[in-house]
Amino acid sequence: MTAAPEQAVVPEKQIVRPYGDTTGDGMVQVSFTLPLPHDKRAEGAAIQLAGKMGIDPAMLVHARPMGDGFTFFVVYGRVNHLVDTSVVRVVERDFPLLSAKEVNAVVKRQLRRKLSVVGACIGTDAHTVGIDAILNVKGIAGDKGLEYYRELRVSNLGAQVSVPDLVAAARAEQADAVLVSQVVTQRDAHLHNTREMSAAFREAWPAGKRPLLIVGGPRFDEAMTAELGVDRIFGRGTTPGEVASYLVHTLITSRRAATV
């Protein structure tokens, strides 16, 4: 299928191609590692792989050895694929974004107690930057973390927390919500850990009584909530304010509306 017929059928603003040097030129840059020592044969293999990916012509712009027997490549070239934005499906924010003052007011007025949040990195994951950015007072990029909210009680368990310990802490803190950050993704560790965690909470709490389960990390697909057994997935760029607003909307506003 050529570009011209599609342009004629679908409004132009819905069809996009990659941009490199000029609008619509289809130029892309990709990087990857091959398990080959850096030599001419390895460079030829990288070009061949890029060609099979639909990059034509493919230009090798960078190659560097990555330890013994591995080479990192950057390839630049043109693709002919089009993207129809009218069929792109994403998880949109379906709750209002509140200020810290508004979050505190709703919790105090309607919940009439502190909203309890427990957070951790589970399994062998020791990367606490994400969970700290959401929970710690300093937050990220000027958006203060949940510890800043006076009507939220936050317990940050830190890194490498086992699932049984997380369940125990959530019970001890009478958690309304459990936030889990997963950065380590080798062999889909983030998916395995999340499934283990959600199963443990289903077993430990009666139906409809368990805390809200929220996971976040750079490699999660936000549409996989049902598959992973959690209530919400937050991806890259999530702010503490978004998380706080979601907690208020889901735990207080929506439940209150459902009982009216």
Side-chain angles (χ1 to χ4, degrees):
M1 183 178 294
T2 61
E6 288 204 34
Q7 295 277 3
V9 175
V10 184
E12 185 178 354
K13 64 180 180 180
Q14 292 181 309
I15 298 295
V16 297
R17 295 181 67 184
Y19 170 92
D21 300 317
T22 59
T23 301
D25 61 10
M27 302 300 287
V28 299
Q29 181 171 289
V30 299
S31 61
F32 51 85
T33 300
L34 291 179
L36 297 170
H38 182 209
D39 56 20
K40 290 294 185 180
R41 185 177 297 275
E43 294 186 356
I47 294 296
Q48 183 183 115
L49 176 61
K52 292 182 177 180
M53 295 167 62
I55 302 176
D56 183 25
M59 296 170 281
L60 183 62
V61 297
H62 179 77
R64 174 170 293 184
M66 296 286 290
D68 186 22
F70 293 87
T71 306
F72 174 76
F73 298 97
V74 177
V75 176
Y76 185 69
R78 179 182 294 106
V79 296
N80 294 313
H81 306 297
L82 305 175
V83 175
D84 184 352
T85 60
S86 68
V87 297
V88 173
R89 297 291 177 261
V90 296
V91 177
E92 300 282 3
R93 177 164 58 83
D94 54 358
F95 53 90
L97 193 59
L98 306 177
S99 67
K101 182 178 180 179
E102 290 170 325
V103 167
N104 288 326
V106 172
V107 174
K108 185 174 183 179
R109 181 177 64 252
Q110 298 187 20
L111 195 60
R112 298 181 181 179
R113 61 171 174 80
K114 303 286 187 181
L115 191 156
S116 177
V117 179
V118 172
C121 297
I122 59 175
T124 60
D125 202 322
H127 299 76
T128 62
V129 173
I131 196 70
D132 288 345
I134 298 299
L135 298 183
N136 288 0
V137 172
K138 64 181 180 180
I140 183 172
D143 194 333
K144 292 188 179 299
L146 301 192
E147 290 178 348
Y148 172 77
Y149 294 68
R150 65 176 182 271
E151 297 301 327
L152 272 59
R153 187 175 78 250
V154 176
S155 177
N156 186 348
L157 305 182
Q160 297 181 325
V161 177
S162 72
V163 169
D165 285 348
L166 179 63
V167 171
R171 191 180 296 281
E173 295 292 333
Q174 296 182 311
D176 296 293
V178 173
L179 277 58
V180 166
S181 174
Q182 291 282 265
V183 175
V184 175
T185 60
Q186 282 86 348
R187 299 184 179 180
D188 288 336
H190 60 308
L191 303 181
H192 299 312
N193 290 341
T194 300
R195 291 190 179 100
E196 179 187 353
M197 183 265 295
S198 63
F201 274 86
R202 287 197 301 272
E203 293 176 2
W205 269 264
K209 300 294 185 180
R210 69 162 173 77
L212 205 64
L213 300 180
I214 302 166
V215 297
R219 290 278 299 276
F220 279 107
D221 180 347
E222 294 179 347
M224 290 181 67
T225 53
E227 181 180 341
L228 295 179
V230 297
D231 298 289
R232 188 80 179 196
I233 296 173
F234 284 109
R236 297 182 306 275
T238 299
T239 65
E242 288 179 274
V243 176
S245 298
Y246 171 74
L247 293 178
V248 165
H249 174 78
T250 305
L251 291 171
I252 301 175
T253 308
S254 294
R255 290 183 180 179
R256 181 177 176 85
T259 60
V260 173

